[in-house]
DNA sequence: TTTAGGG
DNA sequence: CCCTAAA
């Protein structure tokens, strides 16, 4: 009786917030549009500035400024790329940077699916196509027409002050190679390049000897927009220390206010997520690749939304990665001329260069490249029936690079790097050479082929050659900064190298065995199951550990070596869980306070009121936290985990919960916020707290 | 975009 | 925390 009375009193005392809920309509909207416009405007501005810069630089050599950007520019102008595949020369020559870029950049390219006979089911899912080789140049032109505009934008955005280049990515390379810079500007550049990648791949044509292909349709609009906005956003971002989420958040707030990129990204993200989780997955494994690539954007969006410091980093990494694989003006010729020396290029690629590349790759988490390029070739047979191989180096396709005589060595290196990157980032397959002969029969066992023989192992070689599958740009793993260089490698490897069996028909008799790109001594014929599981493990590990800021244990080489063709690999990648951030007591206090005032149905307002500066706490988070608090308050202290929440707060939680669950949270708007104070420590044992209003206005 | 809930 | 159906 008494209690009840008091309770009632208390409840009544809860005041409904006097803060009227703002009409959602005016809360936050028009961001999306604004964003888009922003991006465009920005792009144009950049373009304009670029043009101006170009003019200025017209006469003076770009030498004075050693910035990669400049170098890049110069190279871009003169680089001629030529691609040849065996007897079929395919070649692309960029005459006009802009135009060329356009062709390359287009992300919208749509190719009609021509022959995907191998995988009928795909046809059903035409909506999402996987990027594949473009058989004919025509596609390019089409795209160009359609997307020239976009391309330009991208160029602007991406390159900022860099005058149009054939390959938008080059600039980055320089930086990458130098390896160190982490500053926002560089990152920005790198990231920006990402969009061009797909197109490039498309434009780069490897007369794929192979069969099944999928045509891809890449939605580019969103990409471009996304990209643009993103890059723009990036301008405002500075990298901070990982732990400074809060600071970071605040910092970002400024830019966030404008929500430049959020809309697009959010949408994208959502869309992607949906795709990812949708049945398409299962229906069309292939799609995954595609989706993954798309996911990049989505993830970005996602992260952006989260606005956490390192989320941004992730973005950066993502873009970087893309950049990495972005190619542009470089063409590779058939596949396999010693990589050690790029014979046709003006200069040889030196070991130094390789090392540099490796460093770069490592620093950016693109270990795969390094792996591919380095390593020994030594191999030996193990005691058991497994053949263990240690690959020291891969031969890579011939690269034909043309650079002006005035180009600097550094620019040359970058160019080469790009070429290599493009190659690696593109569709490549691994070829096996035994005693100089290419082993084409994938169905043969190592034993049958003689690879198991010690004698032959010495004569065993691997090559990288243009493969039939277009590789979606790898999504970079999160927390690049903290992550160990190789942390993301697994993902990349899997992503970039994933080849579905069906597609993996580059070799005459394709077999279930997917081509493996390995940098390790892993036995060549690993079985699928193993592969997939490994991959999954790796992926997960990567995700979780990196998130936790725990250095990803160097994946053992073996693990990395495996290139799974599995489909379930990605799930984890898509939804990168946010790092767990337990609510502190003070946060709980703030939450309780806000809920007491606002009720339990206005989480957005709660967020605004008590966590506006905590970008990592979304209203959904707050709602969830409240849910758990209520639960926590109901269970015994012994059952509670984590940082103990003061009983006083739990009492308030219970009181507020009881009050608001009894009152429609909805009837807000009239009351004043009051301060509730739980004074009764006896009551809580009984299961409810007594709330005594101390202040009622 | 928010809210409300289930997982 | 994530994911989503609803609103």
């Amino acid at each position: 009786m008494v209690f009840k009375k008091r309770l009632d009193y208390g409840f009544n005392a809860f005041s409904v917030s006097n803060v009227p809920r703002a009409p959602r309509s005016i809360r936050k909207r028009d961001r999306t549009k604004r964003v888009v416009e922003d991006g465009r405007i920005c792009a144009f501005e950049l373009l304009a500035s670029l043009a101006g810069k170009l003019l200025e630089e017209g006469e003076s050599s770009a030498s004075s400024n050693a910035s990669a950007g400049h170098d890049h520019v110069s190279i871009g102008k003169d680089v001629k790329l030529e691609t040849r595949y065996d007897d079929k020369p395919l070649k692309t020559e960029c005459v006009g940077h802009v135009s060329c870029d356009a062709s390359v950049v287009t992300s919208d390219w749509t190719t009609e699916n021509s022959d995907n006979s191998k995988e009928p089911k795909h046809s059903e899912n035409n909506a999402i196509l996987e990027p594949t080789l473009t058989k004919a140049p025509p596609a390019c032109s089409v795209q160009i027409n359609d997307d020239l505009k976009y391309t330009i934008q991208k160029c602007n955005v991406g390159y900022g002050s860099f005058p149009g280049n054939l390959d938008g990515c080059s600039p980055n390379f320089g930086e990458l190679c130098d390896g160190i810079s982490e500053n926002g500007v560089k990152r920005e550049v790198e990231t920006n390049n990402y969009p061009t990648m797909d197109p490039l791949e498309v434009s780069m044509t490897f007369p794929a000897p192979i069969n099944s292909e999928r045509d891809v349709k890449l939605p580019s609009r969103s990409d471009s927009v996304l990209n643009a906005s993103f890059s723009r956003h990036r301008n405002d971002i500075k990298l901070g220390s990982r732990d400074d989420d809060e600071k970071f958040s605040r910092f970002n707030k400024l830019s966030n206010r404008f929500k430049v990129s959020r809309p697009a990204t959010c949408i994208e993200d959502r869309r992607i997520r949906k795709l990812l989780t949708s049945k398409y997955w299962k229906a069309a494994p292939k799609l995954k690749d595609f989706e993954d690539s798309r996911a990049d954007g989505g993830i970005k969006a996602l992260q952006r939304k989260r606005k956490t410091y390192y989320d941004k980093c992730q973005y950066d990494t993502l873009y970087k990665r893309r950049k990495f694989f972005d190619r542009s003006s470089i063409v590779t010729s058939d596949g396999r001329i010693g990589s050690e020396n790029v014979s046709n290029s003006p200069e040889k690629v030196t070991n130094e260069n390789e090392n540099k590349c490796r460093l770069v790759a490592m620093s950016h988490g693109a270990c795969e490249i390094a792996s591919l390029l380095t390593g020994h070739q030594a191999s030996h047979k193990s005691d058991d029936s497994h053949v263990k191989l240690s690959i020291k180096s891969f031969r890579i396709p011939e690269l034909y690079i043309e650079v002006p005589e005035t180009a600097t060595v550094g620019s040359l290196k970058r160019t080469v790097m790009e070429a290599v990157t493009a190659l690696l980032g593109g569709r490549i397959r691994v070829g096996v050479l035994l005693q100089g002969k290419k082993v084409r029969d994938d169905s043969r066992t190592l034993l049958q082929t003689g690879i198991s023989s010690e004698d032959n192992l010495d004569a065993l070689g691997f090559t990288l050659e243009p493969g039939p599958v277009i590789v979606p740009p790898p999504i970079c793993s999160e927390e690049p900064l903290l992550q160990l260089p190789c942390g993301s490698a697994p993902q990349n490897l899997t992503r970039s190298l994933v080849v579905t069996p069906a597609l993996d028909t580059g070799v005459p008799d394709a077999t279930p065995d997917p081509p493996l790109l390995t940098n390790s001594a892993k036995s060549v014929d690993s079985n699928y199951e193993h592969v997939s599981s490994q991959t999954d493990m790796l992926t997960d590990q990567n995700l979780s550990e990196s998130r936790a800021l725990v250095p990803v244990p160097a994946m053992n080489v073996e693990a990395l070596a495996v290139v799974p063709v599995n489909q379930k690999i990605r799930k984890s990648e898509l939804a990168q869980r946010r790092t767990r951030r337990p609510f502190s007591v003070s946060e709980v206090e703030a939450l309780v306070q806000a809920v007491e005032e606002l009720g339990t149905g206005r989480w957005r307002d709660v967020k605004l009121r008590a966590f506006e500066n905590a970008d990592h706490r979304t209203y959904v988070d707050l709602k969830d936290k409240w849910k758990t608090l209520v639960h926590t308050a109901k269970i015994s202290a012994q059952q509670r985990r984590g940082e103990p929440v003061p009983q006083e707060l739990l009492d308030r939680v219970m009181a507020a919960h009881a009050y608001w669950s009894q009152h429609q949270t909805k009837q807000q708007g009239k009351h004043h916020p009051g301060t509730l104070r739980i004074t009764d420590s006896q009551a809580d044992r009984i299961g409810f707290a007594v709330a005594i209003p101390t202040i009622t206005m």
Side-chain angles (χ1 to χ4, degrees):
Chain A
M1 290 281 278
V2 175
F3 281 130
K4 184 172 175 73
K5 214 167 185 179
R6 292 179 68 186
L7 279 173
D8 287 342
Y9 179 74
F11 287 145
N12 289 329
F14 280 87
S15 58
V16 176
S17 168
N18 59 344
V19 179
R21 195 195 291 225
R24 213 152 270 151
S25 57
I26 62 171
R27 286 180 186 172
K28 300 176 183 178
R29 61 181 181 189
D30 69 25
R31 283 178 186 164
T32 305
K33 290 176 184 175
R34 195 188 288 174
V35 172
V36 173
E37 291 177 24
D38 246 314
R40 286 185 181 166
I41 291 171
C42 181
F44 283 108
E45 289 176 354
L46 287 175
L47 187 60
S49 65
L50 276 178
K53 207 152 193 173
L54 265 174
L55 289 175
E56 291 179 12
E57 294 179 4
E59 280 132 352
S60 62
S61 59
S63 59
S64 63
N65 188 330
S67 71
H70 289 288
D71 283 347
H72 174 60
V73 172
S74 61
I75 294 172
K77 292 178 180 179
D78 301 291
V79 175
K80 188 198 281 181
L81 297 182
E82 188 167 343
T83 304
R84 295 179 53 192
Y85 193 92
D86 287 336
D87 293 340
K88 308 170 185 176
L90 278 187
K91 106 42 268 314
T92 303
E93 189 166 330
C94 296
V95 178
H97 312 311
V98 175
S99 61
C100 183
D101 237 4
S103 63
V104 173
V105 174
T106 338
S107 56
D108 263 30
W109 51 288
T110 303
T111 306
E112 283 305 315
N113 183 336
S114 50
D115 54 306
N116 41 357
S117 55
K118 299 261 172 173
E119 300 208 16
K121 55 185 174 181
H122 288 317
S123 58
E124 295 178 1
N125 298 304
N126 283 331
I128 301 172
L129 298 179
E130 184 173 272
T132 55
L133 297 179
T134 300
K135 291 179 179 177
C140 263
S141 60
V142 171
Q143 296 175 348
I144 293 172
N145 291 333
D146 292 340
D147 290 348
L148 178 57
K149 183 175 173 187
Y150 281 107
T151 300
I152 291 170
Q153 285 181 14
K154 289 176 182 176
C155 288
N156 290 330
V157 173
Y159 304 138
S161 60
F162 301 108
N165 297 315
L166 286 180
D167 54 53
C169 309
S170 323
N172 302 324
F173 265 116
E175 284 153 18
L176 287 174
C177 285
D178 293 341
I180 322 130
S181 56
E182 287 290 278
N183 71 47
V185 173
K186 287 181 181 179
R187 279 171 172 266
E188 178 179 357
V189 171
E190 289 176 4
T191 57
N192 289 327
N193 291 323
Y194 133 61
T196 57
M197 185 171 153
D198 290 334
L200 179 51
E201 288 182 354
V202 173
S203 61
M204 290 196 44
T205 314
F206 288 96
I210 306 59
N211 19 0
S212 65
E213 304 179 341
R214 280 184 190 179
D215 291 343
V216 179
K217 184 185 250 176
L218 295 181
S220 52
R221 308 254 151 174
S222 55
D223 277 1
S224 61
V225 171
L226 189 81
N227 187 46
S229 60
F230 181 66
S231 60
R232 189 175 189 306
H233 185 85
R234 289 190 110 309
N235 285 328
D236 301 330
I237 297 170
K238 260 187 177 170
L239 297 180
S241 70
R242 179 170 263 24
D243 290 332
D244 285 339
D245 281 23
E246 305 270 320
K247 290 178 186 174
F248 184 65
S249 297
R250 269 179 226 127
F251 177 87
N252 285 329
K253 281 226 159 183
L254 293 177
S255 58
N256 284 334
R257 294 286 179 202
F258 300 96
K259 304 289 179 179
V260 175
S261 60
R262 183 176 177 179
T265 55
C266 286
I267 293 169
E268 191 70 2
D269 172 47
R270 200 141 198 159
R271 191 166 82 77
I272 291 169
R273 285 203 177 200
K274 255 177 178 170
L275 285 175
L276 290 176
T277 55
S278 71
K279 17 187 169 176
Y280 285 116
W281 267 83
K282 293 152 190 172
K286 268 304 192 174
L287 294 181
K288 286 200 228 158
D289 289 349
F290 171 73
E291 289 177 349
D292 282 345
S293 63
R294 299 291 300 150
D296 281 350
I299 286 172
K300 287 191 271 175
L302 220 133
Q303 291 173 344
R304 175 154 244 39
K305 186 173 183 177
R306 289 169 183 170
K307 302 177 218 165
T308 58
Y309 161 66
Y310 68 78
D311 280 340
K312 293 187 177 172
C313 290
Q314 290 181 351
Y315 282 127
D316 289 352
T317 302
L318 275 171
Y319 281 95
K320 259 185 187 171
R321 269 199 164 289
R322 290 218 171 207
K323 190 263 168 2
F324 232 93
F325 292 99
D326 227 337
R327 93 323 44 304
S328 52
S329 44
I330 297 164
V331 182
T332 62
S333 72
D334 155 22
R336 37 218 256 13
I337 292 188
S339 60
E340 292 79 28
N341 50 20
V342 180
S343 57
N344 288 340
S345 60
E347 292 187 27
K348 273 195 173 183
V349 174
T350 62
N351 286 331
E352 176 186 315
N353 189 38
E354 273 187 40
N355 289 334
K356 217 164 188 180
C357 290
R358 186 226 235 110
L359 287 175
V360 172
M362 295 299 275
S363 66
H364 290 77
C367 294
E368 61 275 28
I369 292 174
S371 316
L372 294 177
L373 295 176
T374 64
H376 331 316
Q377 220 151 26
S379 61
H380 64 277
K381 187 175 180 179
S382 64
D383 293 333
D384 54 30
S385 60
H386 291 278
V387 177
K388 292 183 180 177
L389 306 173
S390 175
I391 300 169
K392 198 151 194 173
S393 66
F394 273 100
R395 289 187 187 183
I396 63 174
E398 176 181 357
L399 299 176
Y400 180 67
I401 300 169
E402 194 171 298
V403 298
E405 291 182 347
T406 57
T408 63
V409 174
S411 65
L412 171 62
K413 288 179 179 179
R414 283 191 287 277
T415 301
V416 173
M417 181 63 183
E418 283 190 24
V420 174
T421 301
L423 174 64
L424 294 178
R427 26 219 182 289
I428 56 174
R429 297 185 302 110
V430 169
V432 175
L433 293 177
L434 188 58
Q435 298 184 325
K437 285 185 62 178
K438 193 170 182 177
V439 178
R440 291 176 175 280
D441 187 344
D442 289 352
S443 62
R444 294 173 70 186
T445 64
L446 295 184
L447 191 61
Q448 293 173 323
T449 308
I451 293 176
S452 61
S453 158
E454 284 230 18
D455 298 335
N456 289 338
L457 289 179
D458 292 332
L460 180 63
F462 294 90
T463 62
L464 295 182
E465 35 194 280
V469 177
I470 286 180
V471 179
I475 290 176
C476 74
S477 59
E478 47 191 1
E479 320 224 342
L481 292 179
L482 297 185
Q483 193 161 16
L484 290 185
C486 291
S488 57
Q491 276 189 22
N492 288 328
L493 277 176
T494 57
R495 264 172 199 255
S496 52
L497 297 181
V498 169
V499 176
T500 41
L503 292 182
D504 176 22
T505 48
V507 179
D509 16 7
T511 66
D513 288 330
L516 299 177
L517 259 184
T518 71
N519 60 338
S520 73
K522 181 68 185 177
S523 66
V524 175
D525 59 342
S526 43
N527 75 50
Y528 261 49
E529 295 256 317
H530 180 198
V531 173
S532 23
S533 62
Q534 277 254 43
T535 302
D536 280 344
M537 182 191 81
L538 289 175
T539 301
D540 289 340
Q541 191 174 50
N542 185 21
L543 289 175
S544 60
E545 306 223 315
S546 60
R547 180 172 286 104
L549 301 188
V550 176
V552 175
M555 320 290 222
N556 59 49
V557 189
E558 289 192 7
L560 291 177
V562 179
V563 177
V565 180
N566 197 325
Q567 340 183 0
K568 58 182 186 176
I569 310 169
R570 301 138 205 250
K571 232 186 285 175
S572 53
E573 298 176 1
L574 306 180
Q576 303 196 333
R577 261 192 168 239
R578 286 185 297 163
T579 59
R580 185 168 176 276
R581 293 156 138 238
F583 276 70
S584 63
V585 173
S586 60
E587 284 180 303
V588 171
E589 208 282 333
L591 174 60
V592 171
Q593 173 72 39
V595 172
E596 285 173 342
E597 298 170 3
L598 301 172
T600 55
R602 300 169 64 188
W603 300 108
R604 176 178 167 283
D605 293 327
V606 169
K607 197 281 196 274
L608 260 36
R609 172 174 294 217
F611 294 84
E612 185 167 18
N613 292 321
D615 288 355
H616 58 292
R617 302 296 189 198
T618 67
Y619 44 74
V620 173
D621 293 330
L622 301 179
K623 182 264 296 176
D624 288 341
K625 180 56 181 174
W626 183 260
K627 183 171 65 177
T628 59
L629 278 174
V630 170
H631 178 258
T632 298
K634 292 176 179 175
I635 62 177
S636 67
Q638 292 70 43
Q639 295 176 293
R640 297 170 192 162
R641 295 184 298 175
E643 187 180 12
V645 176
Q647 185 60 45
E648 179 256 342
L649 281 177
L650 293 177
D651 292 341
R652 289 171 65 187
V653 167
M654 288 305 289
H657 175 257
Y659 175 83
W660 288 111
S661 60
Q662 177 176 321
H663 291 65
Q664 301 290 323
T665 299
K666 304 300 177 178
Q667 57 174 276
Q668 70 285 149
K670 298 174 184 175
H671 291 279
H672 304 264
T675 300
L676 294 177
R677 187 161 296 167
I678 307 312
T679 57
D680 189 335
S681 60
Q682 316 153 339
D684 58 47
R685 286 188 210 137
I686 300 172
F688 55 90
V690 176
I692 297 173
T694 56
I695 300 172
T696 300
M697 314 260 282

